[in-house]
Amino acid sequence: MNRGIIYAETGIPETPRWFSDSRLTFQMDENSVTQVDYRNPLQTRGSHTIFLQRLWDGFRYYLERNKVIYKLQHNQTKIWPFGIEAQCDFEGSLLKHQIFAVEESIVIQLITPAELPAGLKFDFEFYENFGLIPVDSQDLRYSGGGADRNWQEWEFNKANNLLHGVLEDRYKEHVDEHKKLNINNQDIDHNDDQAPIALHIGISANFPLQFVKRPINTKFILVSDEFLLPSTAYSFVITFASTKAELQERISGLTANVEQLVAKQFNRYQAVIDRAPVLVSPYEELNNFISLAPLYHESCKVTDTPGAIKAKTANYWVWGWDGMTSNYASLYWGDQAFIQEMLQFYEDTADAEFGIGHSFRHDMGLNSISALPSQSMYISLLHQYYMISGDLQEVKERYAFAKRIFKLIKTNEVQGTGFCDGASLFPDFPLFMHETGNDISGLNNTIFYCAARSMEYLAELTGDKETKLSAKTTFANIEKNFLPLFYDEQKNFIVSSIDSKTLERRNSFNSNAVKWENGYCSELLDPISTPSLKFFEENVVCKAGLREIPVWSDAYDKDANQLHCWWPVTGEYYMRLINSQNRPDLIEQWIGWVSYWTKKLTIPEGIPCYIDTDEPELDRWNTSKGMWHGYSMRGWYQAAIHGVVGVGMEAGGLTFYPYAGEEMTLQGLHFRNKILDIEMKGSGPYIEKIEIGGQSLLATNKLPVDLVDGENPVTISVYRVHECLYPVTIQEAYGLDLLNYRYEDGIIRASIQGAGTSRLKLIVSQKPSIRINGVSVEVHYDSAEETATVELEMSLGQVAELEIQ
């Protein structure tokens, strides 16, 4: 692997594997295309699988000479998220062949060399029964999804050089057998048009074709009408449209411009490679993962709907929290433009009364509405976008919608606690977690706490004093009530939920009861960090990863699916714990988990922890080869940046998180239109100095924002050590800018600015004296942890002078 591209001397690694771009995905093994999925933009429900290989082969392509068929071998293979490039040696002549998802179509190309054996033709074949009629109600991959399907006869039009097929999906009454168990989201009733939805499929080429139909075990063969010429690119195209006229127009455009369209696709993905960060560390597979994730994430985007992104490269469509959560990753690899589009997308598609969608139909209509607390991820996402981009105008344009969502969530506040009522966002069946419909979920409300902190910051940015006060009141109440109501001192962890009527804790534990959406979460949970890690080690960590539910819980494996798995998107809290408590052993174990799946060239949504093994089995839908789940890859990506590398970004700039780990360099991190190369030198949980632009900064883990300047790339070197060298060190100050920073004779001086509430946290050996503009301020000192905290209230545009000694 190199910069996100996978190379193989021979063959296709990890087959059958999936390839994807936008609405089209296909699966391929060494011989043929084995499955094709297409999300028809007119479809409200029904199966998205169009072709499926069963007994007979799927789409195959060959060389042909004198009626004899030759297989094109895969040598010097290059694997992209959207397809394959390969070479084949035929009688000493080197031909290039490739198959791609381009413009929501499959393009199969053969590129001939200057020296080409005579008499060759290019051949494409498939069996009629490759077209799927979904009938298996017991297999969600191939069930009808609420529609019956009928295929019309395939027809070849010589004049148009086109093989044309049509399927029709007719809707029937849709019954969800799991509906009675699902209380977390609000479904939308649809009166679907009973007229059939047609999908037209066309297969053509940029060269004249002969058509042959085998009458028994019906097979269709398309072969070049003339012998192949040297130094020429021959392309078959398979595409989809809603009408025959649209199909003919699409085919005409594709075949006439196929080389330019393929080049455009390469340029798009190359741009992702060029801007993506590179990790140079002793962990080869982690380095590979950091390069692969941005490319596979790109293949999830729905190109006809800016801001929409599939939940994973294959099988799943567009969902609410799947798209919004864990997007520090997207911002770190420089995809600010897409986050801006995403913010617009969720606003444009929101229900006028109930808010942001949970699940979307293929036509981008809403299937269901998100649980209210999970909608607050939008607020955190808008804040994150501002943190990395500094784009205040976008905040102002999206603020009214963010405020609307915040106020909507607040309508479910319970008894003045700050908590929001509602069933847990995860799992799909919260009844198994003892939830009743009268629930205050830990998962939901840690999400909402992070959003309330972000809402205060955004309200200050926009001058909305009323909402700023409401947000502060909300998060202050959550801080006051969270641990007293949620924390179980016997288990040393928070419960999954409490009863919203009685405020009683449930005897139910789930490791994702904490969903870390931003760094504010530490201010809620720091008091229980040590016992929480103990709970993880004793009840959650296993060979395969992090069990969401301990095996002793009566919910464990209750659904024989989700409830025995690890969901990587929820793993940020664990990474923060093992980093902050200087556990390189557990960090290396986490790297091993990520490395295992990177070697398999897939990133699952849920990792099965049912079997006690460090080599979990791949399944047939969630961990299929080549499938990358969007929020899993983003969750792991930012956990690696924050915990393994030890660098995090927020509205106040960069903060470093040292631990006794290996030296490494992260090249190309994006922040405020700057490219950062960050070197982590030495080893240990403290920082000796930070070097940037010829300056050495002492006694701070937080980088002053005014020093991120100069020509790209900006090089930053962080020197880690095992002992604290200073009587006082700035550990973190989420949302607070440091400017004009100095450390002399044991005294820290700096200018500070921010928006809303910020807590300045220090590493100290004794209680420090802190002054703001020359006036002493109240300091909370924890002698056991040797930390001190001061709360600051900052107004936009205010610059204050800080002195610590």
Side-chain angles (χ1 to χ4, degrees), residues 150-349:
N150 177 63
W151 281 86
Q152 297 180 13
E153 292 289 330
W154 287 82
E155 297 179 350
F156 181 72
N157 186 310
K158 179 69 173 177
N160 291 331
N161 207 40
L162 174 66
L163 181 61
H164 174 223
V166 185
L167 66 82
E168 289 183 339
D169 283 339
R170 184 182 295 275
Y171 296 135
K172 56 186 178 180
E173 184 179 358
H174 181 57
V175 178
D176 184 354
E177 63 186 34
H178 298 307
K179 174 64 179 173
K180 63 182 181 294
L181 297 174
N182 188 351
I183 59 175
N184 21 14
N185 302 296
Q186 178 176 342
D187 291 341
I188 293 176
D189 292 326
H190 293 287
N191 295 318
D192 291 321
D193 188 344
Q194 294 305 301
I197 296 295
L199 183 66
H200 293 256
I201 302 112
I203 305 174
S204 186
N206 67 343
F207 52 92
L209 295 170
Q210 295 177 2
F211 174 67
V212 178
K213 180 180 177 180
R214 302 288 191 229
I216 304 298
N217 300 321
T218 307
K219 183 170 69 170
F220 304 122
I221 301 170
L222 296 171
V223 63
S224 52
D225 201 21
E226 300 173 348
F227 295 133
L228 302 182
L229 299 174
S231 303
T232 305
Y234 294 89
S235 302
F236 283 105
V237 294
I238 303 109
T239 196
F240 309 89
S242 301
T243 66
K244 187 173 183 179
E246 181 189 343
L247 180 73
Q248 289 175 333
E249 183 178 353
R250 279 183 59 78
I251 282 285
S252 177
L254 284 162
T255 54
N257 302 289
V258 64
E259 291 184 65
Q260 297 94 314
L261 295 172
V262 169
K264 179 182 174 183
Q265 185 81 317
F266 273 106
N267 290 340
R268 174 183 156 206
Y269 280 82
Q270 187 61 51
V272 176
I273 292 173
D274 291 344
R275 71 170 181 256
V278 173
L279 178 63
V280 181
S281 80
Y283 309 108
E284 180 182 0
E285 295 303 334
L286 185 64
N287 299 342
N288 289 334
F289 168 76
I290 293 297
S291 290
L292 287 162
L295 276 181
Y296 283 82
H297 196 260
E298 184 71 18
S299 73
C300 291
K301 293 178 182 177
V302 182
T303 54
D304 62 20
T305 308
I309 189 163
K310 295 181 296 188
K312 66 178 174 181
T313 49
N315 287 359
Y316 285 6
W317 187 231
V318 178
W319 294 73
W321 81 289
D322 296 62
M324 287 187 289
T325 193
S326 301
N327 268 298
Y328 281 105
S330 302
L331 295 162
Y332 288 164
W333 65 57
D335 210 357
Q336 284 83 346
F338 183 71
I339 300 303
Q340 187 177 18
E341 292 173 346
M342 183 184 289
L343 291 164
Q344 180 79 60
F345 168 77
Y346 283 116
E347 179 176 348
D348 289 348
T349 56

Side-chain angles (χ1 to χ4, degrees), residues 275-481:
R275 71 170 181 256
V278 173
L279 178 63
V280 181
S281 80
Y283 309 108
E284 180 182 0
E285 295 303 334
L286 185 64
N287 299 342
N288 289 334
F289 168 76
I290 293 297
S291 290
L292 287 162
L295 276 181
Y296 283 82
H297 196 260
E298 184 71 18
S299 73
C300 291
K301 293 178 182 177
V302 182
T303 54
D304 62 20
T305 308
I309 189 163
K310 295 181 296 188
K312 66 178 174 181
T313 49
N315 287 359
Y316 285 6
W317 187 231
V318 178
W319 294 73
W321 81 289
D322 296 62
M324 287 187 289
T325 193
S326 301
N327 268 298
Y328 281 105
S330 302
L331 295 162
Y332 288 164
W333 65 57
D335 210 357
Q336 284 83 346
F338 183 71
I339 300 303
Q340 187 177 18
E341 292 173 346
M342 183 184 289
L343 291 164
Q344 180 79 60
F345 168 77
Y346 283 116
E347 179 176 348
D348 289 348
T349 56
D351 182 84
E353 182 178 358
F354 300 110
I356 295 171
H358 176 67
S359 62
F360 290 75
R361 307 183 310 188
H362 299 168
D363 65 355
M364 291 306 177
L366 297 180
N367 266 330
S368 59
I369 303 298
S370 290
L372 280 175
S374 68
Q375 295 189 35
S376 71
M377 290 180 179
Y378 183 94
I379 300 167
S380 298
L381 179 61
L382 179 58
H383 188 198
Q384 289 165 14
Y385 173 79
Y386 173 75
M387 292 173 183
I388 307 299
S389 70
D391 185 355
L392 182 57
Q393 184 59 37
E394 182 68 17
V395 171
K396 291 179 178 179
E397 290 181 9
R398 302 277 79 80
Y399 179 76
F401 181 69
K403 178 179 176 180
R404 175 192 152 198
I405 295 302
F406 180 72
K407 292 176 72 174
L408 186 62
I409 297 168
K410 287 278 289 178
T411 62
N412 272 23
E413 185 176 352
V414 179
Q415 302 179 37
T417 59
F419 299 134
C420 177
D421 180 73
S424 292
L425 177 62
F426 172 92
D428 284 350
F429 312 120
L431 294 176
F432 295 147
M433 300 296 301
H434 297 188
E435 297 193 19
T436 64
N438 299 317
D439 313 291
I440 302 175
S441 157
L443 170 64
N444 293 0
N445 283 281
T446 49
I447 292 170
F448 184 46
Y449 171 77
C450 293
R453 296 297 305 271
S454 290
M455 195 72 225
E456 186 205 26
Y457 192 105
L458 295 171
E460 175 61 28
L461 286 181
T462 57
D464 183 354
K465 294 182 180 179
E466 180 182 357
T467 303
K468 178 184 175 183
L469 178 60
S470 175
K472 180 157 188 173
T473 301
T474 298
F475 73 69
N477 283 334
I478 293 175
E479 289 175 346
K480 180 176 70 175
N481 293 303

Side-chain angles (χ1 to χ4, degrees), residues 168 177 578 659 720:
E168 289 183 339
E177 63 186 34
I578 60 180
Y659 70 102
R720 302 175 299 187

Side-chain angles (χ1 to χ4, degrees), residues 619-671:
D619 61 23
R620 287 160 294 283
W621 68 285
N622 171 60
T623 57
S624 295
K625 297 169 183 180
M627 276 189 192
W628 283 57
H629 201 286
Y631 68 23
S632 294
M633 66 175 108
R634 295 194 307 269
W636 270 353
Y637 190 98
Q638 64 190 43
I641 301 300
H642 295 158
V644 180
V645 181
V647 59
M649 294 187 191
E650 35 91 3
L654 276 71
T655 301
F656 300 104
Y657 300 93
Y659 70 102
E662 299 289 337
E663 292 188 339
M664 60 188 71
T665 299
L666 183 65
Q667 301 169 347
L669 202 65
H670 292 253
F671 177 70

Side-chain angles (χ1 to χ4, degrees), residues 446 482-483 494 514 516 521-529 573:
T446 49
F482 188 77
L483 293 182
I494 67 168
V514 174
W516 188 293
C521 208
S522 66
E523 297 177 17
L524 185 67
L525 296 163
D526 270 355
I528 59 167
S529 289
Y573 180 43

Side-chain angles (χ1 to χ4, degrees), residues 513-550:
V514 174
K515 179 65 174 75
W516 188 293
E517 278 299 294
N518 59 38
Y520 290 122
C521 208
S522 66
E523 297 177 17
L524 185 67
L525 296 163
D526 270 355
I528 59 167
S529 289
T530 300
S532 288
L533 182 54
K534 187 173 186 288
F535 177 86
F536 270 93
E537 286 196 87
E538 293 178 353
N539 303 288
V540 174
V541 175
C542 65
K543 291 178 181 178
L546 302 174
R547 288 192 183 97
E548 295 295 345
I549 297 172

Side-chain angles (χ1 to χ4, degrees), residues 24-39:
L24 176 70
T25 58
F26 66 89
Q27 188 187 58
M28 187 173 177
D29 62 18
E30 293 273 5
N31 298 320
S32 66
V33 173
T34 58
Q35 184 172 332
V36 179
D37 290 3
Y38 177 71
R39 306 281 178 163

